[in-house]
Amino acid sequence: MRFGLAVASIAVMGLAAPASFARTHHAATNAAPAKDDTGPRPVVLSAQPGTNLDQVARQLNSGDLADAAKHNDNPVVLVASAPLSSDRSDMALFVQLQSARLCGSAGCSTSVYLRHKGGWKLVLDSVSGAISVLPSRHNGMHDLLIDKNDRWTWNGSSYQDGAPAPAAPSAPKKKAPDAPQKKLLRG
C-alpha cells in the first residue's frame, strides 16, 4: 500500500509542476567559473529548496509568490549565483519562477539581483532566454548575454540592453581554386 501511495504522490506532484516546466535550458548545478576567461560562462539555474539562495530568492519575489498562491499556483523557484565584478562581495543572484501562469510563449523570465554592501538590488528585470556572463566589462561589471545574441551592459546602477552581441568568429573561407580556362579551338 505504501508503494502505491508513493507512486500516487509522485503522480500528483507531476500535476502540480508539469514536466514541460521541469525541462529548461539549464543544467542541475550552479555555474562554476570557467578555467579560462575567454568565452561566455552560462548561468545554470536549478531548484535548491531550503538553501540560503532559495530563501533569499523567495524573499525578493515574495509578491509574485503570494499572488501565485492566491491563484492556487505553486511556482518552481530556480536560482543561481555568479560574481559580476572583480569584487567578490558583488555577487549576483539569478532567479526564475516557473509555472504555467508566470511563463509565456517566450518562456520563463529571469531577474538578476546584485548583493552589494549587505543588501540586494534588482539590476535586471524579467529577461527570457539563456543567460551567460561574458568576459567583457562595462563600468567594472561583466556584460551579460541573453539568448546568444542580446548583450546587456552595466551603466553604473543596472543592466541596460546594448547592441546585439557580435557573431562568433567563423573560420576563414578558403578560396576556391580558379577553374581551368577552356581554350576555344578555331578551325
Side-chain angles (χ1 to χ4, degrees):
M1 185 66 178
R2 282 188 182 174
F3 177 74
L5 209 52
V7 171
S9 297
I10 291 170
V12 169
M13 289 182 350
L15 292 175
S20 62
F21 291 112
R23 283 179 269 146
T24 68
H25 58 271
H26 309 291
T29 61
N30 264 345
K35 292 195 188 234
D36 65 15
D37 236 6
T38 60
R41 291 175 297 165
V43 172
V44 182
L45 295 166
S46 64
Q48 301 177 29
T51 64
N52 187 40
L53 286 179
D54 180 71
Q55 291 171 2
V56 170
R58 288 176 186 280
Q59 287 173 350
L60 293 171
N61 291 275
S62 60
D64 289 337
L65 292 170
D67 184 56
K70 287 179 187 174
H71 294 90
N72 295 321
D73 193 8
N74 187 21
V76 174
V77 178
L78 301 180
V79 295
S81 64
L84 293 181
S85 76
S86 56
D87 182 353
R88 294 292 179 181
S89 66
D90 287 340
M91 186 62 67
L93 173 63
F94 299 81
V95 180
Q96 185 177 92
L97 303 179
Q98 290 189 348
S99 74
R101 198 167 174 287
L102 295 173
C103 299
S105 61
C108 300
S109 63
T110 303
S111 296
V112 183
Y113 300 87
L114 183 64
R115 183 181 68 202
H116 185 70
K117 297 181 181 175
W120 291 95
K121 177 184 175 188
L122 181 65
V123 295
L124 180 59
D125 191 21
S126 300
V127 293
S128 294
I131 301 176
S132 295
V133 177
L134 296 172
S136 58
R137 297 173 186 242
H138 284 85
N139 297 310
M141 299 286 279
H142 286 281
D143 296 346
L144 298 177
L145 183 64
I146 312 297
D147 246 1
K148 298 182 184 177
N149 62 359
D150 191 14
R151 182 186 303 263
W152 288 71
T153 58
W154 183 252
N155 68 9
S157 61
S158 64
Y159 278 91
Q160 63 185 13
D161 195 0
S170 58
K173 293 182 180 178
K174 294 181 182 178
K175 186 177 177 183
D178 292 335
Q181 300 266 335
K182 292 183 181 181
K183 291 185 180 181
L184 296 176
L185 298 175
R186 294 187 188 193

